Amino acid sequence: MSIMSYHGGTVLAMAGNECVCIGSDLRLGEQMTTVATDVSKVAQVGDRVFVGIGGFHTDVRTIMDKMEFRCGLYKLRERREVRPEVAALMLSNLLYHHRFGSFLVQPIVAGLDMETMKPYICGMDTIGCIASPRDFVAVGTGAEYLLGVSEGFWQDNMNPDELFEATAQSLLSGLERDAASGWGAVIHTITKDKVNVKTIKARMD
């Protein structure tokens, strides 16, 4: 088993019309052993900016802590909120800086630019190479199952309710096909007015 899939976990982000959804499963495992069932892989690092990370869990926690610190420092220095593209570049630089002893993670940055109301999602590899699609991005052990399902659910210009439904259905479908993910999911729906967080149930076997 690859060290990247040792702890399991899946993260998915989708872009809509002036809204973004990012969600993850809640399982933390040790290979096929379930250790915890309430561990989200998504963290908020700024106003309407979230980071979701799949991979080796100790590295996931390290990256989340470093990103929260760097984004907080950016806010104090610049006296403004961090934009999603800026957070993505911060994370990319952090990963590339450690390229010779890289963190075993696959991050996603998802957010809404509060000036242009433009949604932003991107995924990265272990050394910070950014891929920013216009529709959806998935990482983790269930990513290969999610991509085909997400193509069926995603549509152009979805509103927040439609986007949440597409994200939830795609994530649940992927979790049912991946033994290393599951035990429910948490989904953050990011709009210009608020961030709505919902926990959904999934199979528990």
Side-chain angles (χ1 to χ4, degrees):
M1 175 178 283
S2 166
I3 190 65
M4 292 290 288
S5 58
Y6 184 82
H7 289 295
T10 303
V11 185
L12 171 68
M14 282 189 172
N17 181 22
E18 296 187 352
C19 56
V20 178
C21 273
I22 181 170
S24 78
D25 71 310
L26 296 174
R27 178 186 183 271
L28 172 63
E30 185 177 339
Q31 296 186 17
M32 292 297 105
T33 302
T34 299
V35 176
T37 59
D38 59 351
V39 180
S40 174
K41 288 87 179 170
V42 177
Q44 185 170 5
V45 296
D47 185 33
R48 308 297 194 275
V49 183
F50 286 77
V51 174
I53 309 177
F56 195 59
H57 190 68
T58 53
D59 286 355
V60 169
R61 289 306 319 163
T62 300
I63 292 294
M64 284 183 174
D65 291 343
K66 285 180 178 291
M67 280 300 296
E68 287 173 6
F69 170 77
R70 291 187 176 202
C71 289
L73 192 60
Y74 176 92
K75 184 177 178 181
L76 288 173
R77 284 180 172 173
E78 300 290 330
R79 298 184 181 179
R80 57 179 172 172
E81 291 291 341
V82 63
R83 294 168 53 233
E85 294 92 340
V86 175
L89 288 174
M90 279 185 191
L91 182 51
S92 177
N93 290 337
L94 172 62
L95 294 176
Y96 191 72
H97 182 72
H98 291 85
R99 63 192 178 279
F100 297 117
S102 59
F103 291 107
L104 302 171
V105 294
Q106 294 175 311
I108 288 176
V109 176
L112 194 65
D113 191 320
M114 295 304 289
E115 295 180 4
T116 63
M117 293 301 138
K118 183 179 178 181
Y120 179 84
I121 59 172
C122 76
M124 301 178 200
D125 61 8
T126 56
I127 60 170
C129 180
I130 297 176
S132 182
R134 57 183 290 269
D135 44 12
F136 56 85
V137 61
V139 297
T141 55
E144 58 184 308
Y145 307 107
L146 281 173
L147 295 177
V149 176
S150 298
E151 284 183 352
F153 282 110
W154 187 86
Q155 297 176 357
D156 271 321
N157 298 319
M158 288 189 288
N159 62 41
D161 291 334
E162 294 170 337
L163 187 63
F164 168 78
E165 188 68 25
T167 306
Q169 293 296 337
S170 300
L171 195 53
L172 287 175
S173 297
L175 298 185
E176 288 190 356
R177 290 162 175 80
D178 179 29
S181 305
W183 285 85
V186 59
I187 297 176
H188 302 73
T189 306
I190 309 162
T191 65
K192 60 183 178 181
D193 299 319
K194 62 181 179 179
V195 177
N196 196 6
V197 183
K198 292 184 179 179
T199 303
I200 54 179
K201 293 183 178 179
R203 288 178 58 177
M204 298 184 184
D205 54 359

